[in-house]
Amino acid sequence: MRLAARLEGLGTSPIRAMHAGAPAGAVPLGLGEPTWELPPCARAALAALDGSCGYGPNAGLPELVGALASFYGAAPEEVLVSSGSQGALFALFQAWLGPGDELLVPDPGFLAYPALARLAGASCVAYRLGPGGGLDPAAFRAALDASPAAKAAVINFPSNPTGGGASLAALREVAAACEERGVLLVSDEVYRELYLGPRPPSLRDASGYGLVLSSASKGWGGPGLRVGWAIGDPELLAPARLVHAAMVSCPARPSQLAALALVEASAEVLPAARAELRARWEALAGALRSELGVEAELPAGAFYYWLPLPALEAEGAAFCLRLRDEARVILVPGSAFGRAGARFARLSYAARPEEIAEGVRRLAPLWRRA
Ligand SMILES: Cc1ncc(COP(=O)(O)O)c(C=O)c1O
């Protein structure tokens, strides 16, 4: 049987593949998920489930829609509840992209964007990030100007994989460029609540144009709930709602109830998540200083450290395999996130503080020798 053409080139995520082949006892600094516990309010919501477990509305439970509307200062019709923010990305790309269309994606950037664009039949055009892995509006505009077929663009700050940010002015410039061209702008803000310095701005602070995506997975600490959302113009969301409903009917009801508890308790849940993040950052910064002599700069947010490869190490993927198999510490080669990542590795400090310290201790000898 012949595979559908849109699946060509679609493979297992290199992040999952690095973990799947790892030796026993390898320290996992690869996965991008919180290792702190699901907050008690969400566990209580799951434990309190009564006998009713119906599907619920396609649009999401009205209570969750209402809680998200008030969190974002939006109207309920501006909220789409999805199965993870990845469900929203899938639905939006299916709704707005097709063969011949191009999607602007960050390089380096989250590896699901090109995969989801391909599933919609579209192709990707990369724009480079600026120094520190943040948004460079000039590079964005240059890529947009060079892409007459661009129909949509994704920005993601704080960034996976660099931890870099976007200034309010940069967000304004990018929103204006997209609005001028009528290009759909999607701001993936899943890491916005995970910061240690100033709170990163949202696209919604900069412009009324575009859609904002987030989820219960990162700052709210519940990746396994698989609840995400998109916020913005109801006309842009309407066709994505149809796709999402056709795909899954609605996100799982128990998960939505847990997400509701999390969003309602944002004032406690998010600062507690940042305290967990700070403990992890301090473990990382201390280990980088003592083991590698590196003074790490505080990132804009997220829990990724974008580590330049040692000068003599030409091939990041091979080096990360050696780190995994010889030093037993898992990092993700930067090349997994795009061409611009070739000389980097992504270290996720979502891991537990003691794992972070042990992981850096294990990788240090290979780093120094390379
Ligand atoms: C930048 C970015 N966007 C979206 C997602 C998808 O997250 P979820 O579907 O759990 O909301 C991830 C997950 O790692 C991510 O890193």
Side-chain angles (χ1 to χ4, degrees):
M1 277 224 291
R2 228 183 74 238
L3 199 63
R6 65 183 176 284
L7 290 198
E8 268 166 32
L10 201 70
T12 319
S13 143
I15 302 177
R16 299 276 176 175
M18 280 300 282
H19 285 78
V27 177
L29 303 183
L31 282 184
E33 62 179 355
T35 50
W36 53 93
E37 289 193 337
L38 180 66
C41 63
R43 280 182 274 156
L46 291 171
L49 273 182
D50 58 19
S52 65
C53 200
Y55 288 116
N58 292 140
L61 294 179
E63 302 87 328
L64 178 55
V65 170
L68 288 167
S70 67
F71 185 84
Y72 284 93
E77 48 293 1
E78 292 178 296
V79 177
L80 160 73
V81 178
S82 54
S83 295
S85 62
Q86 204 146 330
L89 285 166
F90 177 87
L92 283 165
F93 292 179
Q94 291 291 322
W96 292 106
L97 295 174
D101 293 335
E102 286 175 338
L103 171 73
L104 254 66
V105 294
D107 181 9
F110 179 43
L111 30 87
Y113 303 140
L116 293 174
R118 184 173 297 136
L119 286 178
S123 51
C124 286
V125 174
Y127 63 90
R128 289 295 178 107
L129 300 186
L135 177 58
D136 174 354
F140 181 93
R141 194 181 266 276
L144 188 61
D145 289 346
S147 316
K151 187 144 180 238
V154 191
I155 55 175
N156 166 228
F157 301 99
S159 151
N160 174 7
T162 68
S167 68
L168 202 57
L171 289 172
R172 265 195 209 113
E173 227 177 300
V174 160
C178 288
E179 190 167 10
E180 270 165 36
R181 274 275 307 275
V183 163
L184 171 66
L185 178 60
V186 176
S187 182
D188 176 345
E189 299 182 3
V190 291
Y191 297 105
R192 184 179 181 219
E193 305 303 337
L194 291 176
Y195 57 89
L196 299 169
R199 187 175 190 217
S202 165
L203 176 66
R204 289 175 70 79
D205 302 326
S207 167
Y209 190 76
L211 299 172
V212 163
L213 262 54
S214 190
S215 78
S217 301
K218 313 291 182 181
W220 281 274
L225 296 174
R226 310 307 303 125
V227 174
W229 48 84
I231 312 288
D233 185 345
E235 285 186 25
L236 293 174
L237 296 182
R241 287 186 200 283
L242 297 178
V243 174
H244 196 269
M247 182 174 60
V248 294
S249 296
C250 56
R253 185 187 186 90
S255 291
Q256 290 192 74
L257 291 170
L260 170 63
L262 290 170
V263 175
E264 283 182 338
S266 294
E268 296 89 55
V269 167
L270 298 176
R274 288 190 283 273
E276 297 283 356
L277 184 69
R278 178 158 296 281
R280 285 157 175 77
W281 169 256
E282 281 167 6
L284 176 68
L288 288 174
R289 190 178 306 120
S290 62
E291 300 292 339
L292 293 178
V294 168
E295 212 44 63
E297 259 180 55
L298 200 65
F303 36 50
Y304 302 115
Y305 189 71
W306 196 227
L307 197 56
L309 293 183
L312 295 178
E313 201 58 47
E315 225 289 295
F319 186 60
C320 284
L321 280 176
R322 272 177 56 215
L323 283 176
R324 186 190 74 177
D325 298 336
E326 292 174 30
R328 291 188 305 128
V329 52
I330 307 172
L331 267 62
V332 180
S335 54
F337 303 94
R339 282 204 191 147
R343 305 267 330 121
F344 291 84
R346 189 192 77 172
L347 183 157
S348 167
Y349 57 94
R352 282 176 248 286
E354 58 281 9
E355 289 176 319
I356 297 167
E358 172 63 12
V360 176
R361 199 184 59 71
R362 287 188 190 186
L363 65 79
L366 269 176
W367 219 270
R368 287 199 230 97
R369 204 186 319 144

